[in-house]
Amino acid sequence: MPPGPLFTRTLGERGPRLVFCHGLFGQGRNWTQVAKAFADDHRVTLVDLPDHGRSPWTDRFDYPAMAEELVPLLEDGDPVALVGHSMGGKVAMLATLAHPELVERLCVVDVAPTTYASASEFERYVAAMRALDLESLQGRDDADAGLAEAVPDPTVRSFLLQNLRREGDGQAVGWRWQMNLDVLGDNLDLLRGWPEEAAADLPPYDGPVLWIAGSESAYVRDEHAETMERHFPKVRRVSVKGAGHWVHSEQPAVFIEVLRRFLAARRS
């Protein structure tokens, strides 16, 4: 896609702004169920981050650059509540640290400002998606079957296959990955990382921060707390029982209630 602004979808017409950032291989629409729960009293923005969904592609992966792409969506003079999951959580943290005046409060979902030792499951996903023969693909069922061995969890396969798009008609029908699989797949080491040098030059964010973790996830550990508190001294950590990495999808009712209480605090 040619360069341009990030693709967004908006729900709700009144109230304070609430902006959601998805994780790796996701799209803004992954937040739809959560967004609908807040649309009556918030102006909700669902963002497709660069190289994902309907947003423009880049030729390299860079967290600080991605954060700066998000900034134009955060209106000066109308600070937002910003929510980010996994990769989107790192983007949201960097945008908040770099532009604290644009963020009234921050919610980080199941990720920490750290470099993770392994991205093995995502390496497996990338290899499986690259191995899929899109030219001979007859339908989504074929794609699902093609990913089944490498991605045995049907929920994860469904999540990944949301990126598969059918184009054309008649004899000219073809399939393509909507996200930039080459750039993302080639840069998993950067994706699992954290740009410590860039973040170290930024002062701590003094606003309220909610840090939501899945109790069954390994992405938020006790040893991450020191780094999180250094950047976000007013952080409060909540662990959601029975949830893994995709907290908002696995325990949506609990996630919505926890986030609702956090957002309500700014009006009390």
Side-chain angles (χ1 to χ4, degrees), residues 4-256:
L6 299 182
F7 178 83
T8 63
R9 178 187 173 202
T10 302
L11 291 80
E13 298 179 350
R14 60 186 178 87
R17 291 196 63 215
L18 177 58
V19 178
F20 288 93
C21 298
H22 60 80
L24 179 61
F25 302 142
Q27 303 173 59
R29 68 176 187 170
N30 297 146
W31 287 105
T32 299
Q33 180 180 5
V34 174
K36 287 180 177 179
F38 292 95
D40 286 344
D41 52 5
H42 289 80
R43 289 170 292 149
V44 183
T45 301
L46 308 182
V47 182
D48 284 0
L49 290 171
D51 297 307
H52 291 78
R54 302 186 194 180
S55 282
W57 286 11
T58 66
D59 57 5
R60 66 188 181 94
F61 182 87
D62 180 83
Y63 270 122
M66 187 177 282
E68 289 303 315
E69 287 288 317
L70 178 65
V71 168
L73 303 178
L74 313 179
E75 298 174 12
D76 191 14
D78 187 14
V80 306
L82 183 58
V83 182
H85 169 247
S86 196
M87 178 195 75
K90 289 185 175 182
V91 173
M93 285 189 281
L94 281 171
T96 299
L97 290 170
H99 302 276
E101 73 284 359
L102 301 181
V103 181
E104 190 274 334
R105 61 187 51 225
L106 171 68
C107 175
V108 179
V109 186
D110 212 64
V111 75
T114 190
T115 294
Y116 291 92
S118 173
S120 58
E121 72 271 32
F122 289 103
E123 291 170 356
R124 191 171 69 251
Y125 301 160
V126 168
M129 288 187 287
R130 282 176 161 168
L132 207 60
D133 185 358
L134 299 184
E135 291 187 4
S136 64
L137 204 63
Q138 297 298 308
R140 290 185 180 275
D141 287 345
D142 290 344
D144 185 74
L147 295 180
E149 182 176 353
V151 190
D153 187 330
T155 301
V156 176
R157 287 203 307 278
S158 177
F159 167 75
L160 295 175
L161 288 172
Q162 287 181 19
N163 290 285
L164 192 60
R165 290 287 176 267
R166 184 175 184 268
E167 296 182 330
D169 44 40
Q171 298 298 316
V173 170
W175 296 85
R176 69 173 180 88
W177 293 110
Q178 189 172 38
M179 79 291 208
N180 191 346
L181 185 57
D182 286 340
V183 161
L184 298 174
D186 289 345
N187 289 279
L188 290 178
D189 283 347
L190 290 175
L191 278 155
R192 65 181 177 84
W194 169 254
E196 187 58 47
E197 290 186 7
D201 293 334
L202 301 170
Y205 173 68
D206 195 43
V209 177
L210 176 63
W211 192 19
I212 300 180
S215 66
E216 309 303 317
S217 173
Y219 281 80
V220 174
R221 299 176 182 268
D222 290 343
E223 57 263 34
H224 297 149
E226 181 180 356
T227 304
M228 190 71 174
E229 290 167 2
R230 184 169 73 246
H231 292 298
F232 305 100
K234 294 183 179 178
V235 64
R236 180 171 67 93
R237 178 176 164 185
V238 174
S239 182
V240 177
K241 293 181 179 179
H245 185 50
W246 284 275
V247 186
H248 52 294
S249 296
E250 297 171 36
Q251 294 290 345
V254 176
F255 180 87
I256 288 168

